Amino acid sequence: MKSQTVRVMAPVEEDLAVETIMLAFATDPMTRWTWPHAHQYLAAMPRMIRAFGSNAFTRGTAFCTEGYAGMALWLSPGAHSDEEGLGAVLQSTVARSRAPETAAIFEQMAKYHPTEPHWYLPLIGVDPAHQGEGHGDALMAYALARCDLDHVPAYLESSNPRNIPFYRRYGFEPLGAIQVGSSPTLVPMLRHAR
């Protein structure tokens, strides 16, 4: 397998990150539970990606592999997702019948989120046409090397059970499980400071 090169993305490349992450999450259990119909997903997901991870572009913590095949939007210590933007996306795009469950999921996510300084990975994804080529590994190794320079923990929520072994290989351990009503399970995971 070819070793993948990782680089920091510029703010003008944000649309390219959104496109790759949209492809990567097209079959994600939690995302597709939230927006089960293609038209809902295609309309809501770009806004959700931007609300979750746009601050990675302003902080220099948005990473990609060659050809934009893989993307990771990390938030370094002190950076946060756009909470107001997340709320607006959910309020305007989630079916009313599903809104209480979705709100409860985000409340539980907040309970697991570390309060001490940490790196947070809201979004990582590889274009399905390039999965299995080492893009995810390269992105994770690159970011965690930076995280380790800060000697702080790293945190994420796995929305797909198939990805948990991948995260565990990099030292992330499950903290619990978040599941509400008919939702799939979301697994908060922490990698201790090194």
Side-chain angles (χ1 to χ4, degrees):
M1 183 181 334
K2 176 185 166 194
S3 178
Q4 302 298 333
T5 303
V6 177
R7 69 172 177 82
V8 176
M9 297 181 75
V12 297
E13 296 174 292
E14 185 173 342
D15 287 346
L16 297 164
V18 169
E19 292 167 359
T20 298
I21 292 170
M22 280 191 60
L23 286 173
F25 276 76
T27 60
D28 178 80
M30 183 63 77
T31 303
R32 295 316 300 269
W33 172 82
T34 306
W35 301 290
H37 304 290
H39 69 279
Q40 295 170 321
Y41 175 76
L42 293 171
M45 193 60 178
R47 293 174 54 204
M48 191 67 154
I49 293 166
R50 285 183 171 88
F52 253 131
S54 280
N55 280 335
F57 287 94
T58 59
R59 305 279 292 232
T61 55
F63 311 125
C64 71
T65 56
E66 188 175 331
Y68 304 103
M71 305 286 166
L73 304 182
W74 283 85
L75 299 178
S76 58
H80 303 282
S81 295
D82 175 1
E83 298 294 329
E84 189 174 305
L86 286 169
V89 172
L90 294 172
Q91 184 176 5
S92 65
T93 64
V94 175
R96 281 191 191 149
S97 62
R98 193 148 287 167
E101 291 171 299
T102 305
I105 289 166
F106 274 85
E107 287 172 15
Q108 287 188 36
M109 286 170 63
K111 290 179 184 174
Y112 282 102
H113 208 102
T115 55
E116 76 252 41
H118 65 283
W119 280 70
Y120 173 47
L121 177 60
L123 295 161
I124 185 172
V126 175
D127 179 339
H130 297 285
Q131 290 178 357
E133 297 175 3
H135 296 278
D137 284 312
L139 288 163
M140 190 63 77
Y142 182 86
L144 291 176
R146 291 185 67 175
C147 175
D148 291 346
L149 289 174
D150 292 340
H151 303 290
V152 296
Y155 175 78
L156 59 84
E157 295 105 1
S158 179
S159 57
N160 190 331
R162 291 183 321 187
N163 296 335
I164 291 173
F166 171 77
Y167 297 131
R168 288 185 87 119
R169 274 200 335 258
Y170 285 94
F172 287 89
E173 292 297 328
L175 297 176
I178 299 170
Q179 195 280 322
V180 179
S182 65
S183 81
T185 301
L186 187 71
V187 179
M189 301 184 79
L190 182 69
R191 178 182 184 264
H192 292 285
R194 296 182 181 188

